Each structure stands twice: as C-alpha cells, then as structure tokens.
Amino acid sequence: MKKSTGVTLIEVAKKAGVARMTASRALSGDGYITEETKAKVLAAAAELGYTPNALARAMKGGRTNVIGAVVNDLASTVINAYVTELSAEVRRHHMDLFIYNAVDDFSLANGQRLDQLLNGLWDGLIYVMPRMSDEYLAMLEQSSRPVVLINYCKQVTGLPVINGDNFNGARDATHHLIDLGHRRIAFIRGFGYTGQSEERERGYRAALDDAGIVFDPELVQQGDFSLLSGAEATERLLGMANRPTAIFAANDEMAAGSMQVLQAAGLTLPQQVSLIGFDDAPIASFVQPKITTLRHPIGAMAKAAVQELLLRINNEPGRRQRVEFPSEFLVRESTAAAPPHP
C-alpha cells in the first residue's frame, strides 16, 4: 500500500476506472452513485492509502464529516458520559467527533475562541452543558453554522436544545421525601451556568408549595457542584438550631460530600437523615448507603442531539427547537421515613 502523502483524488479515480467527479461523490457521500461504483472507489482509495483532505473540503464549502463536541470540564463524569454517547452516535453516521475542552467560560472576552470554533473544520457543533454568557449565546444564535445545545436552560434561545427534565424530576424527588414524612428538607444548589440548578431548585420549591410547607430560605445553601461544596453546605445546615431531616443536593457529587459530613457527625443514613442527589453519577453507587438520585437518559439525549444537528447540516425540514426527556427517579438506600420528633 502506498503512503497517503502525495496520493490525489485523480489517482484514486484512475485506479477505480471512474471520472474524478464520480470518485469525489463516492468518498464524500454527496450525490447519487451505484453501490458497485462506490465500492470500487473505496477499494481503490484504501489500496492507495488515500485520505480526503478535510481542510480542502472545508475551503470549498464541502462537508468534512466531523462534528465538534464543546465542553468546559472533561473531568466531569457526567460530561464524559455524554461525550461517550455522542461519539458512538456520530460514528453510527460514519462521521468523526472532535472534542474541544475549554478550561474557562465562554464569553465575548473569548471572541477569538468563538471564531475558531465556528470556523473550524467541522460541519456542526454540539455544546454539552455549556458555561456561556448571554452575549456569547447571542453570537451563536447569529452564526450560520449549525449548533445544538445539550442541557442548557438558563435562557430562552432560538437554538435547538436537548434537555433532561430537571423541574419535574426535582419535584418528584422532593415529593418522595414529603411522602416519607419529612418537613425540614434542605436544598444544596449548584452554580447557575446552565440553568439546571435553578430548574431543580424550582422543582424543590414547587413540591413544598404543593404540600403546603412554608419555604425556609435558610434551608437552601449554595454549592458549586463539587464534593467539597456539598460538605461545606452540610456543615452549615448542621449548625442550625432546627436542622433538616432530609437534604436534596442538586448533583451526586455534592450529595456525596454531604454524606461524608453527616456520617462524620455521627448521624446514620437514612435513619436520622435522608439524602437525595441528581445525575446518577458513578459516585452515587460507590458510597454507602447508595444514594437515591435521578437520571437523565444520556444515550437517548445524545442521539437526539446528533440527529437534530444533522437535520440542520443537511438543511432538512422537520427541525425541532426544544426536546425534553423525562428524568428517571432511582430510589436506593439513602432515603427513609423521617425520624420521630424528639
């Protein structure tokens, strides 16, 4: 087999015994050719070691068959799960996934990065749980490049969004605690980059209102989705004169941090304190007791994101602006009936 360096499309066409345009269509997937002809061209390309030049295709306004996944934190197990499912779905469409990991937030101060992303060698971009300013979102909306957002509900946008149902999931979780007899239910919120924490807090407060429980702002503590912030928030809750009998954390990492503090204080779960997280991250099953949590259907959401992006790349009709998937409530070992009043 020849090395790919120096091999041209003309050589591939000559080897396959077809015209250059036919070889181009066979390799790009654009236009109609017979399966037999396509097979000949692909075989010739493989034998010669020909690799289409993505830059050349992009400069001509053609397809690169590459989709970009834009994330802010690859260390996140939840984001990693989305990237894994996105990669599988992209490959199912015979395309490649490019992962862009930004170490800070997307804002107009990072305008050069926006230009690099929107003018990069990919056919479209999927932003996974993006940390972006409102101005940055507006620039994305004005761009002609196809873009889809996953788990973004901070602002209403004209861009297609694939979301998990945070509000109703959190409402169901809080109702679960109320049904178990809990009335002093705390909530540990995360940061507000994507709007998911706000939606989960809104569901928590709606459930309290449903049950006629007066909302106590002191029971809502600020975290940042990290294990440490969950621990620190729980320390503050335990310092209250009338401390909660249940804690609902906006993600599993904060719930795990909360559990560490509760157990270190000599409290048993769930007999003395019940605990709920969100996301069904691996840590929720590793700790003891296993944490009751909620799960978004990551595989189905990744599939929907790729499909919505491809509709826009191909300029096909029937595009949806917002798709929301229900969350699944997983009752495990960290919730039980409220302890009797002393």
Side-chain angles (χ1 to χ4, degrees):
M1 178 185 293
K2 291 184 181 181
K3 293 182 179 179
S4 60
T5 302
V7 178
T8 67
L9 181 61
I10 293 176
E11 291 178 88
V12 174
K14 184 178 180 180
K15 180 75 174 176
V18 299
R20 181 184 180 280
M21 182 59 71
T22 302
S24 176
R25 289 175 176 173
L27 293 169
S28 67
D30 295 329
Y32 174 77
I33 60 172
T34 66
E35 289 299 320
E36 180 181 358
T37 300
K38 182 177 181 180
K40 286 181 180 180
V41 174
L42 293 177
E47 183 176 343
L48 294 174
Y50 173 76
T51 302
N53 189 302
L55 177 59
R57 289 203 304 268
M59 290 178 67
K60 293 177 182 178
R63 292 274 297 272
T64 64
N65 290 322
V66 177
I67 286 176
V70 187
V71 303
N72 287 98
D73 182 12
L74 268 180
S76 164
T77 57
V78 176
I79 288 179
N80 259 287
Y82 277 103
V83 169
T84 298
E85 293 294 340
L86 284 172
S87 180
E89 182 62 19
V90 166
R91 286 191 173 277
R92 196 175 71 82
H93 291 276
H94 308 291
M95 302 177 74
D96 292 312
L97 186 72
F98 180 94
I99 303 168
Y100 189 102
N101 185 36
V103 296
D104 51 12
D105 306 331
F106 293 105
S107 67
L108 290 185
N110 297 320
Q112 184 177 2
R113 173 180 297 153
L114 178 64
D115 290 339
Q116 291 172 341
L117 283 172
L118 294 182
N119 296 310
L121 298 179
W122 29 78
D123 297 323
L125 294 169
I126 298 175
Y127 282 75
V128 183
M129 297 165 59
R131 305 176 186 175
M132 63 175 65
S133 67
D134 296 345
E135 295 80 7
Y136 189 96
L137 176 65
M139 289 186 69
L140 283 183
E141 290 174 330
Q142 295 165 12
S143 170
S144 61
R145 294 297 292 270
V147 172
V148 171
L149 309 180
I150 293 180
N151 281 335
Y152 182 83
C153 43
K154 181 182 177 184
Q155 297 286 349
V156 175
T157 175
L159 294 173
V161 181
I162 309 298
N163 275 337
D165 187 346
N166 295 285
F167 171 78
N168 286 304
R171 192 174 191 170
D172 290 344
T174 308
H175 271 300
H176 171 71
L177 293 171
I178 293 171
D179 291 342
L180 289 171
H182 295 278
R183 293 298 179 268
R184 294 285 291 172
I185 303 171
F187 182 80
I188 303 177
R189 59 160 70 110
F191 52 62
Y193 293 117
T194 67
Q196 291 190 98
S197 180
E198 287 84 350
E199 283 295 289
R200 293 169 188 182
E201 182 176 347
R202 196 166 67 88
Y204 154 79
R205 293 185 63 167
L208 296 181
D209 188 59
D210 292 341
I213 299 174
V214 177
F215 171 69
D216 183 350
E218 289 187 353
L219 287 174
V220 176
Q221 294 292 323
Q222 185 65 52
D224 61 11
F225 285 138
S226 70
L227 189 147
L228 177 60
S229 72
E232 293 173 342
T234 302
E235 288 176 349
R236 295 192 293 271
L237 290 170
L238 290 183
M240 298 175 64
N242 186 14
R243 66 192 187 193
T245 62
I247 298 174
F248 179 15
N251 78 334
D252 292 327
E253 281 76 9
M254 291 194 297
S258 177
M259 179 179 290
Q260 288 184 351
V261 169
L262 293 170
Q263 292 174 334
L267 297 170
T268 57
L269 280 78
Q271 291 80 7
Q272 292 178 284
V273 182
S274 285
L275 181 66
I276 293 180
F278 209 118
D279 290 332
D280 191 27
I283 196 171
S285 298
F286 291 162
V287 295
Q288 290 296 328
K290 295 179 181 179
I291 298 174
T292 293
T293 187
L294 296 109
R295 173 198 296 156
H296 286 160
I298 293 177
M301 291 173 65
K303 182 176 181 179
V306 173
Q307 290 177 342
E308 291 299 316
L309 188 66
L310 289 177
L311 285 174
R312 283 153 177 79
I313 290 172
N314 296 323
N315 293 314
E316 295 181 12
R319 299 179 299 181
R320 297 174 290 178
Q321 290 303 117
R322 181 183 177 90
V323 183
E324 189 164 84
F325 288 82
S327 55
E328 180 183 1
F329 188 39
L330 306 173
V331 179
R332 292 183 174 142
E333 303 166 352
S334 64
T335 52
H341 293 291

